[in-house]
Amino acid sequence: MELDSVLLYTVLGVGILTLCNMLKNANGLFYSIKYFATKYRLPPGDMGWPFIGNMILFFKSFKSSGNPGSFVSYFVTRFGAVGMYKAYMFGSPSIIVTTPEISKKILMDEDNFDRGLSNSTNTDSNQEDKRLRRVTTTHIRTHGSVSYYFDRINEIMKNSLENFAAKEKPIYLFSELKKPAFEVLMLILIGGYEASQQLLDIVFAETAILIRGFHGMPINLPGFAYHRAMKAQGIVAQMFKQIVDERKVMIAKNKDRLMANMLDMMIDAKDISDETIVKLLIQYTFAGYESVAKVASRTIMHLEKHPDLLQKAKEEQEEIVKRRPSPNVGLNFDEIRQMKYLSKVIDETLRINSLVPIFRVAKTTVNLNGYTIPKGWRFLTFLWTFNMDPNTYENPMEFNPSRWDELETKPASYFPFGVGPKMCPGSNVARLSLSIILHYFLLNYRFEQPDPDQSKTKPLDECIGKLKKLSA
Ligand code: HEM
């Protein structure tokens, strides 16, 4: 090669590298420059490339290891253990929070932070948010209050497992479990399938699209998942509006038709607008759509991988059955509290599988732990980081429900349903649904995977296999 060409290529290479480097730092510079001279700077961090920010690293760490651990470690290793890092995620300048103490400060503080989702019903007044929360959750707030739904949830879960086992072909366990979980969700939200099945089928299908779109980049252009998600949100809103209208007519004709579900309680409150009712129904559907199915399928997979733990959990259920006065008596609500080991199995799954971040948005520019957080910036808390802390949990990667025996009280860093005023209102329904599914699974079924590695094929959360009914 001629000397001139070598020189040309070297200059070109250095030029491209410098340009890439400038571009890579441009995002960070653009957002940080205002705060260089201020007393409190932004937290350290890396805001990645313009527009896409850190999303490539984020998706890569999920894809390769199925956990956000390596993503979070990148910030801790590079910038030190300061507990919060600037980043650019899901189309917004963001702060990644890596300690439970800072997370709790944020999650408990309604004055400075809200959920900031486009489908959220957060009003400008904390008082009004609290009132709406009260109206929408009275029927599910405590373990006792969900007893009202026990019979229906029991029937839904029991029948669903029967149906899955009757299928000739292998099933996608997570996908299949979404259907009964959705049925339970609609029971809590609108009183079940008294509303038109056809409308709810549309809500079920469109919510899947809505969720997929909100998990990616918020690019509202045709062809992008987010754009389709915005359309799906509109369709779900239309379906719920129709259900609200029908329900109002029904109740106006006969007040006795008011029932213990979120929709009827909102209508009965009289001063909640239809628009807010619909938004709340969407918010709950979005939040409760996948979680129970995900935790149930993952618990089943953990137990199938550990036959000794499965046996222990099964024996507990058999003991419960033995204590019944007659073999014809079925599961009852009081027995749920007797499932001590199963409850630890569920906690262990929640510990290892809390993968979805909790979001908040700064309502005003705030000073937190010596750093400035500008108005509008997002916070992302990965519970997984705290749940995998070896200082709290010995061998954190190991699935070991008995670790909870030694933990007299749960660690302050363990909050799978969040903490504070916006903590998950569905936690009691979720725990009840999970206990019922797992009760029937342990007693009557096994999940057989012809090729357990298939669970790594797409979609990531799926496990393919056959639900086999055990012979009596
Ligand atoms: C195992 C299942 C579930 C898990 C692990 C879970 C976890 C969570 C978490 C971590 C949050 C965030 C809390 C925060 O932002 O501070 C949340 C919020 C929420 N969850 Fe759940 N959840 C589950 C099931 C459900 C179910 C079944 C429902 C519906 C009945 C539900 C309804 C909601 C709602 C409406 C919110 C938003 C609360 C608000 O913004 O005020 N969740 N959930």
Side-chain angles (χ1 to χ4, degrees), residues 154-188:
N154 189 30
E155 195 183 311
I156 292 169
M157 296 307 179
K158 191 176 171 199
N159 291 345
S160 297
L161 291 185
E162 289 275 351
N163 291 340
F164 300 163
K167 293 196 178 186
E168 287 285 312
K169 289 196 175 147
I171 57 165
Y172 288 95
L173 187 60
F174 171 44
S175 288
E176 291 292 346
L177 281 167
K178 278 186 207 168
K179 292 169 200 158
F182 179 76
E183 210 175 320
V184 170
L185 189 60
M186 290 305 122
L187 178 71
I188 308 296

mmCIF file of all heavy atoms in Angstrom, residues 154-188:
data_model
loop_
_atom_site.group_PDB
_atom_site.id
_atom_site.type_symbol
_atom_site.label_atom_id
_atom_site.label_comp_id
_atom_site.label_asym_id
_atom_site.label_seq_id
_atom_site.Cartn_x
_atom_site.Cartn_y
_atom_site.Cartn_z
ATOM 1 N N ASN A 154 -60.819 -19.476 42.670
ATOM 2 C CA ASN A 154 -60.562 -20.915 42.833
ATOM 3 C C ASN A 154 -61.090 -21.687 41.618
ATOM 4 O O ASN A 154 -60.397 -22.509 41.023
ATOM 5 C CB ASN A 154 -61.256 -21.368 44.127
ATOM 6 C CG ASN A 154 -60.890 -22.790 44.510
ATOM 7 O OD1 ASN A 154 -59.790 -23.247 44.218
ATOM 8 N ND2 ASN A 154 -61.805 -23.496 45.134
ATOM 9 N N GLU A 155 -62.303 -21.358 41.242
ATOM 10 C CA GLU A 155 -62.932 -22.049 40.102
ATOM 11 C C GLU A 155 -62.166 -21.765 38.798
ATOM 12 O O GLU A 155 -61.876 -22.681 38.018
ATOM 13 C CB GLU A 155 -64.356 -21.495 40.000
ATOM 14 C CG GLU A 155 -65.299 -22.275 39.155
ATOM 15 C CD GLU A 155 -66.640 -21.516 39.112
ATOM 16 O OE1 GLU A 155 -67.153 -21.110 40.184
ATOM 17 O OE2 GLU A 155 -67.138 -21.300 38.005
ATOM 18 N N ILE A 156 -61.826 -20.484 38.603
ATOM 19 C CA ILE A 156 -61.126 -20.092 37.360
ATOM 20 C C ILE A 156 -59.792 -20.832 37.247
ATOM 21 O O ILE A 156 -59.456 -21.405 36.208
ATOM 22 C CB ILE A 156 -60.888 -18.555 37.328
ATOM 23 C CG1 ILE A 156 -62.207 -17.804 37.184
ATOM 24 C CG2 ILE A 156 -59.920 -18.159 36.199
ATOM 25 C CD1 ILE A 156 -62.114 -16.300 37.401
ATOM 26 N N MET A 157 -59.020 -20.827 38.324
ATOM 27 C CA MET A 157 -57.673 -21.424 38.279
ATOM 28 C C MET A 157 -57.745 -22.946 38.143
ATOM 29 O O MET A 157 -57.010 -23.552 37.357
ATOM 30 C CB MET A 157 -56.862 -21.042 39.526
ATOM 31 C CG MET A 157 -56.588 -19.557 39.628
ATOM 32 S SD MET A 157 -55.835 -18.934 38.090
ATOM 33 C CE MET A 157 -55.646 -17.202 38.445
ATOM 34 N N LYS A 158 -58.657 -23.545 38.905
ATOM 35 C CA LYS A 158 -58.779 -25.009 38.871
ATOM 36 C C LYS A 158 -59.173 -25.473 37.452
ATOM 37 O O LYS A 158 -58.548 -26.370 36.880
ATOM 38 C CB LYS A 158 -59.863 -25.420 39.886
ATOM 39 C CG LYS A 158 -59.914 -26.881 40.162
ATOM 40 C CD LYS A 158 -60.939 -27.165 41.249
ATOM 41 C CE LYS A 158 -61.122 -28.656 41.354
ATOM 42 N NZ LYS A 158 -62.336 -29.046 41.997
ATOM 43 N N ASN A 159 -60.192 -24.834 36.890
ATOM 44 C CA ASN A 159 -60.654 -25.211 35.545
ATOM 45 C C ASN A 159 -59.587 -24.975 34.487
ATOM 46 O O ASN A 159 -59.444 -25.758 33.547
ATOM 47 C CB ASN A 159 -61.908 -24.417 35.158
ATOM 48 C CG ASN A 159 -63.091 -24.841 36.001
ATOM 49 O OD1 ASN A 159 -63.036 -25.888 36.658
ATOM 50 N ND2 ASN A 159 -64.139 -24.028 36.028
ATOM 51 N N SER A 160 -58.831 -23.878 34.638
ATOM 52 C CA SER A 160 -57.820 -23.562 33.627
ATOM 53 C C SER A 160 -56.758 -24.641 33.584
ATOM 54 O O SER A 160 -56.361 -25.077 32.496
ATOM 55 C CB SER A 160 -57.157 -22.224 33.915
ATOM 56 O OG SER A 160 -58.121 -21.232 33.845
ATOM 57 N N LEU A 161 -56.281 -25.081 34.749
ATOM 58 C CA LEU A 161 -55.256 -26.128 34.753
ATOM 59 C C LEU A 161 -55.805 -27.407 34.119
ATOM 60 O O LEU A 161 -55.114 -28.081 33.362
ATOM 61 C CB LEU A 161 -54.737 -26.385 36.173
ATOM 62 C CG LEU A 161 -53.903 -25.253 36.798
ATOM 63 C CD1 LEU A 161 -53.341 -25.669 38.156
ATOM 64 C CD2 LEU A 161 -52.750 -24.817 35.917
ATOM 65 N N GLU A 162 -57.082 -27.711 34.419
ATOM 66 C CA GLU A 162 -57.722 -28.893 33.791
ATOM 67 C C GLU A 162 -57.664 -28.762 32.271
ATOM 68 O O GLU A 162 -57.315 -29.700 31.567
ATOM 69 C CB GLU A 162 -59.208 -28.986 34.188
ATOM 70 C CG GLU A 162 -59.486 -29.380 35.639
ATOM 71 C CD GLU A 162 -59.477 -30.888 35.852
ATOM 72 O OE1 GLU A 162 -59.432 -31.618 34.854
ATOM 73 O OE2 GLU A 162 -59.483 -31.310 37.026
ATOM 74 N N ASN A 163 -58.016 -27.567 31.779
ATOM 75 C CA ASN A 163 -58.038 -27.339 30.328
ATOM 76 C C ASN A 163 -56.650 -27.435 29.710
ATOM 77 O O ASN A 163 -56.486 -28.021 28.638
ATOM 78 C CB ASN A 163 -58.613 -25.958 29.991
ATOM 79 C CG ASN A 163 -60.090 -25.904 30.313
ATOM 80 O OD1 ASN A 163 -60.739 -26.961 30.425
ATOM 81 N ND2 ASN A 163 -60.624 -24.707 30.520
ATOM 82 N N PHE A 164 -55.651 -26.892 30.394
ATOM 83 C CA PHE A 164 -54.286 -26.948 29.844
ATOM 84 C C PHE A 164 -53.846 -28.417 29.734
ATOM 85 O O PHE A 164 -53.204 -28.808 28.764
ATOM 86 C CB PHE A 164 -53.257 -26.231 30.730
ATOM 87 C CG PHE A 164 -53.523 -24.770 30.963
ATOM 88 C CD1 PHE A 164 -52.893 -24.097 32.011
ATOM 89 C CD2 PHE A 164 -54.380 -24.053 30.143
ATOM 90 C CE1 PHE A 164 -53.131 -22.757 32.240
ATOM 91 C CE2 PHE A 164 -54.621 -22.707 30.368
ATOM 92 C CZ PHE A 164 -53.994 -22.065 31.419
ATOM 93 N N ALA A 165 -54.176 -29.194 30.749
ATOM 94 C CA ALA A 165 -53.734 -30.598 30.770
ATOM 95 C C ALA A 165 -54.443 -31.408 29.685
ATOM 96 O O ALA A 165 -53.925 -32.423 29.226
ATOM 97 C CB ALA A 165 -53.985 -31.203 32.141
ATOM 98 N N ALA A 166 -55.627 -30.929 29.276
ATOM 99 C CA ALA A 166 -56.387 -31.674 28.261
ATOM 100 C C ALA A 166 -55.849 -31.420 26.850
ATOM 101 O O ALA A 166 -56.244 -32.088 25.896
ATOM 102 C CB ALA A 166 -57.849 -31.278 28.343
ATOM 103 N N LYS A 167 -54.944 -30.449 26.721
ATOM 104 C CA LYS A 167 -54.454 -30.114 25.365
ATOM 105 C C LYS A 167 -53.488 -31.178 24.866
ATOM 106 O O LYS A 167 -52.614 -31.628 25.617
ATOM 107 C CB LYS A 167 -53.767 -28.747 25.369
ATOM 108 C CG LYS A 167 -54.779 -27.654 25.639
ATOM 109 C CD LYS A 167 -54.279 -26.295 25.283
ATOM 110 C CE LYS A 167 -55.429 -25.325 25.572
ATOM 111 N NZ LYS A 167 -55.241 -24.000 25.202
ATOM 112 N N GLU A 168 -53.673 -31.527 23.599
ATOM 113 C CA GLU A 168 -52.829 -32.566 22.976
ATOM 114 C C GLU A 168 -51.396 -32.075 22.813
ATOM 115 O O GLU A 168 -50.448 -32.772 23.110
ATOM 116 C CB GLU A 168 -53.368 -32.876 21.579
ATOM 117 C CG GLU A 168 -54.663 -33.679 21.571
ATOM 118 C CD GLU A 168 -54.419 -35.129 21.905
ATOM 119 O OE1 GLU A 168 -53.502 -35.694 21.303
ATOM 120 O OE2 GLU A 168 -55.124 -35.675 22.779
ATOM 121 N N LYS A 169 -51.287 -30.832 22.325
ATOM 122 C CA LYS A 169 -49.969 -30.294 21.974
ATOM 123 C C LYS A 169 -49.325 -29.617 23.184
ATOM 124 O O LYS A 169 -50.040 -29.189 24.095
ATOM 125 C CB LYS A 169 -50.131 -29.274 20.856
ATOM 126 C CG LYS A 169 -50.484 -29.901 19.551
ATOM 127 C CD LYS A 169 -50.252 -28.921 18.427
ATOM 128 C CE LYS A 169 -50.507 -29.603 17.102
ATOM 129 N NZ LYS A 169 -51.034 -28.717 16.121
ATOM 130 N N PRO A 170 -47.976 -29.468 23.176
ATOM 131 C CA PRO A 170 -47.325 -28.714 24.253
ATOM 132 C C PRO A 170 -47.877 -27.284 24.301
ATOM 133 O O PRO A 170 -48.318 -26.751 23.273
ATOM 134 C CB PRO A 170 -45.841 -28.710 23.853
ATOM 135 C CG PRO A 170 -45.695 -29.856 22.930
ATOM 136 C CD PRO A 170 -47.000 -30.005 22.211
ATOM 137 N N ILE A 171 -47.830 -26.698 25.464
ATOM 138 C CA ILE A 171 -48.380 -25.333 25.606
ATOM 139 C C ILE A 171 -47.266 -24.348 25.982
ATOM 140 O O ILE A 171 -46.232 -24.740 26.506
ATOM 141 C CB ILE A 171 -49.485 -25.277 26.687
ATOM 142 C CG1 ILE A 171 -48.949 -25.772 28.053
ATOM 143 C CG2 ILE A 171 -50.715 -26.039 26.273
ATOM 144 C CD1 ILE A 171 -49.846 -25.424 29.217
ATOM 145 N N TYR A 172 -47.532 -23.080 25.686
ATOM 146 C CA TYR A 172 -46.676 -22.012 26.180
ATOM 147 C C TYR A 172 -47.258 -21.624 27.540
ATOM 148 O O TYR A 172 -48.299 -20.974 27.612
ATOM 149 C CB TYR A 172 -46.717 -20.799 25.251
ATOM 150 C CG TYR A 172 -45.998 -20.992 23.946
ATOM 151 C CD1 TYR A 172 -46.681 -21.390 22.795
ATOM 152 C CD2 TYR A 172 -44.627 -20.768 23.867
ATOM 153 C CE1 TYR A 172 -45.997 -21.562 21.605
ATOM 154 C CE2 TYR A 172 -43.949 -20.942 22.667
ATOM 155 C CZ TYR A 172 -44.635 -21.334 21.544
ATOM 156 O OH TYR A 172 -43.964 -21.502 20.362
ATOM 157 N N LEU A 173 -46.580 -22.063 28.600
ATOM 158 C CA LEU A 173 -47.180 -21.934 29.934
ATOM 159 C C LEU A 173 -47.503 -20.487 30.314
ATOM 160 O O LEU A 173 -48.599 -20.180 30.785
ATOM 161 C CB LEU A 173 -46.230 -22.565 30.965
ATOM 162 C CG LEU A 173 -46.784 -22.674 32.378
ATOM 163 C CD1 LEU A 173 -48.037 -23.525 32.442
ATOM 164 C CD2 LEU A 173 -45.732 -23.245 33.333
ATOM 165 N N PHE A 174 -46.542 -19.591 30.091
ATOM 166 C CA PHE A 174 -46.753 -18.190 30.486
ATOM 167 C C PHE A 174 -47.949 -17.592 29.734
ATOM 168 O O PHE A 174 -48.852 -16.994 30.334
ATOM 169 C CB PHE A 174 -45.449 -17.422 30.229
ATOM 170 C CG PHE A 174 -45.536 -15.926 30.377
ATOM 171 C CD1 PHE A 174 -46.208 -15.349 31.437
ATOM 172 C CD2 PHE A 174 -44.910 -15.081 29.460
ATOM 173 C CE1 PHE A 174 -46.274 -13.964 31.586
ATOM 174 C CE2 PHE A 174 -44.967 -13.706 29.593
ATOM 175 C CZ PHE A 174 -45.656 -13.150 30.654
ATOM 176 N N SER A 175 -47.978 -17.821 28.416
ATOM 177 C CA SER A 175 -49.085 -17.266 27.614
ATOM 178 C C SER A 175 -50.425 -17.825 28.069
ATOM 179 O O SER A 175 -51.410 -17.097 28.172
ATOM 180 C CB SER A 175 -48.914 -17.620 26.147
ATOM 181 O OG SER A 175 -47.881 -16.887 25.610
ATOM 182 N N GLU A 176 -50.453 -19.133 28.324
ATOM 183 C CA GLU A 176 -51.721 -19.748 28.719
ATOM 184 C C GLU A 176 -52.201 -19.197 30.056
ATOM 185 O O GLU A 176 -53.391 -18.936 30.238
ATOM 186 C CB GLU A 176 -51.564 -21.275 28.823
ATOM 187 C CG GLU A 176 -51.354 -21.974 27.488
ATOM 188 C CD GLU A 176 -52.579 -21.949 26.574
ATOM 189 O OE1 GLU A 176 -53.684 -21.635 27.039
ATOM 190 O OE2 GLU A 176 -52.408 -22.214 25.378
ATOM 191 N N LEU A 177 -51.243 -19.019 30.986
ATOM 192 C CA LEU A 177 -51.638 -18.550 32.314
ATOM 193 C C LEU A 177 -52.152 -17.107 32.305
ATOM 194 O O LEU A 177 -52.852 -16.675 33.220
ATOM 195 C CB LEU A 177 -50.461 -18.678 33.284
ATOM 196 C CG LEU A 177 -50.212 -20.099 33.817
ATOM 197 C CD1 LEU A 177 -48.843 -20.182 34.495
ATOM 198 C CD2 LEU A 177 -51.295 -20.538 34.798
ATOM 199 N N LYS A 178 -51.789 -16.375 31.232
ATOM 200 C CA LYS A 178 -52.264 -14.980 31.161
ATOM 201 C C LYS A 178 -53.787 -14.925 31.092
ATOM 202 O O LYS A 178 -54.410 -13.981 31.556
ATOM 203 C CB LYS A 178 -51.702 -14.307 29.913
ATOM 204 C CG LYS A 178 -50.301 -13.787 30.076
ATOM 205 C CD LYS A 178 -49.922 -13.017 28.836
ATOM 206 C CE LYS A 178 -48.434 -13.028 28.626
ATOM 207 N NZ LYS A 178 -48.044 -12.545 27.315
ATOM 208 N N LYS A 179 -54.397 -15.974 30.467
ATOM 209 C CA LYS A 179 -55.856 -15.914 30.265
ATOM 210 C C LYS A 179 -56.620 -15.996 31.593
ATOM 211 O O LYS A 179 -57.445 -15.136 31.883
ATOM 212 C CB LYS A 179 -56.305 -16.986 29.274
ATOM 213 C CG LYS A 179 -55.778 -16.685 27.874
ATOM 214 C CD LYS A 179 -55.962 -17.855 26.927
ATOM 215 C CE LYS A 179 -55.025 -17.723 25.736
ATOM 216 N NZ LYS A 179 -54.766 -18.979 25.059
ATOM 217 N N PRO A 180 -56.363 -17.038 32.434
ATOM 218 C CA PRO A 180 -57.071 -17.034 33.722
ATOM 219 C C PRO A 180 -56.701 -15.829 34.587
ATOM 220 O O PRO A 180 -57.561 -15.303 35.315
ATOM 221 C CB PRO A 180 -56.641 -18.343 34.383
ATOM 222 C CG PRO A 180 -55.434 -18.818 33.650
ATOM 223 C CD PRO A 180 -55.558 -18.269 32.254
ATOM 224 N N ALA A 181 -55.430 -15.380 34.500
ATOM 225 C CA ALA A 181 -55.044 -14.221 35.321
ATOM 226 C C ALA A 181 -55.831 -12.986 34.878
ATOM 227 O O ALA A 181 -56.259 -12.167 35.698
ATOM 228 C CB ALA A 181 -53.541 -13.974 35.188
ATOM 229 N N PHE A 182 -56.080 -12.871 33.577
ATOM 230 C CA PHE A 182 -56.854 -11.743 33.047
ATOM 231 C C PHE A 182 -58.320 -11.836 33.504
ATOM 232 O O PHE A 182 -58.945 -10.836 33.850
ATOM 233 C CB PHE A 182 -56.769 -11.758 31.518
ATOM 234 C CG PHE A 182 -57.537 -10.652 30.844
ATOM 235 C CD1 PHE A 182 -57.051 -9.357 30.835
ATOM 236 C CD2 PHE A 182 -58.753 -10.902 30.211
ATOM 237 C CE1 PHE A 182 -57.756 -8.329 30.214
ATOM 238 C CE2 PHE A 182 -59.461 -9.884 29.587
ATOM 239 C CZ PHE A 182 -58.960 -8.590 29.581
ATOM 240 N N GLU A 183 -58.811 -13.076 33.521
ATOM 241 C CA GLU A 183 -60.196 -13.274 33.962
ATOM 242 C C GLU A 183 -60.365 -12.812 35.417
ATOM 243 O O GLU A 183 -61.341 -12.149 35.772
ATOM 244 C CB GLU A 183 -60.552 -14.764 33.836
ATOM 245 C CG GLU A 183 -62.016 -14.995 33.564
ATOM 246 C CD GLU A 183 -62.346 -16.461 33.320
ATOM 247 O OE1 GLU A 183 -61.581 -17.176 32.655
ATOM 248 O OE2 GLU A 183 -63.399 -16.881 33.813
ATOM 249 N N VAL A 184 -59.347 -13.133 36.237
ATOM 250 C CA VAL A 184 -59.392 -12.704 37.651
ATOM 251 C C VAL A 184 -59.302 -11.182 37.719
ATOM 252 O O VAL A 184 -60.043 -10.529 38.470
ATOM 253 C CB VAL A 184 -58.235 -13.362 38.451
ATOM 254 C CG1 VAL A 184 -58.125 -12.744 39.845
ATOM 255 C CG2 VAL A 184 -58.449 -14.868 38.552
ATOM 256 N N LEU A 185 -58.428 -10.615 36.899
ATOM 257 C CA LEU A 185 -58.260 -9.162 36.883
ATOM 258 C C LEU A 185 -59.590 -8.482 36.554
ATOM 259 O O LEU A 185 -60.006 -7.524 37.208
ATOM 260 C CB LEU A 185 -57.186 -8.815 35.845
ATOM 261 C CG LEU A 185 -56.684 -7.397 35.770
ATOM 262 C CD1 LEU A 185 -56.056 -6.965 37.083
ATOM 263 C CD2 LEU A 185 -55.643 -7.253 34.659
ATOM 264 N N MET A 186 -60.280 -8.992 35.544
ATOM 265 C CA MET A 186 -61.554 -8.385 35.136
ATOM 266 C C MET A 186 -62.631 -8.578 36.212
ATOM 267 O O MET A 186 -63.508 -7.740 36.376
ATOM 268 C CB MET A 186 -62.028 -8.970 33.799
ATOM 269 C CG MET A 186 -61.186 -8.533 32.623
ATOM 270 S SD MET A 186 -61.078 -6.715 32.494
ATOM 271 C CE MET A 186 -59.324 -6.444 32.583
ATOM 272 N N LEU A 187 -62.529 -9.668 36.953
ATOM 273 C CA LEU A 187 -63.450 -9.894 38.070
ATOM 274 C C LEU A 187 -63.312 -8.771 39.103
ATOM 275 O O LEU A 187 -64.303 -8.224 39.595
ATOM 276 C CB LEU A 187 -63.085 -11.246 38.696
ATOM 277 C CG LEU A 187 -63.856 -11.726 39.909
ATOM 278 C CD1 LEU A 187 -65.260 -12.112 39.485
ATOM 279 C CD2 LEU A 187 -63.158 -12.934 40.545
ATOM 280 N N ILE A 188 -62.056 -8.420 39.385
ATOM 281 C CA ILE A 188 -61.775 -7.370 40.372
ATOM 282 C C ILE A 188 -62.150 -5.997 39.808
ATOM 283 O O ILE A 188 -62.667 -5.139 40.505
ATOM 284 C CB ILE A 188 -60.244 -7.346 40.700
ATOM 285 C CG1 ILE A 188 -59.720 -8.724 41.085
ATOM 286 C CG2 ILE A 188 -59.881 -6.285 41.717
ATOM 287 C CD1 ILE A 188 -60.288 -9.274 42.322
#
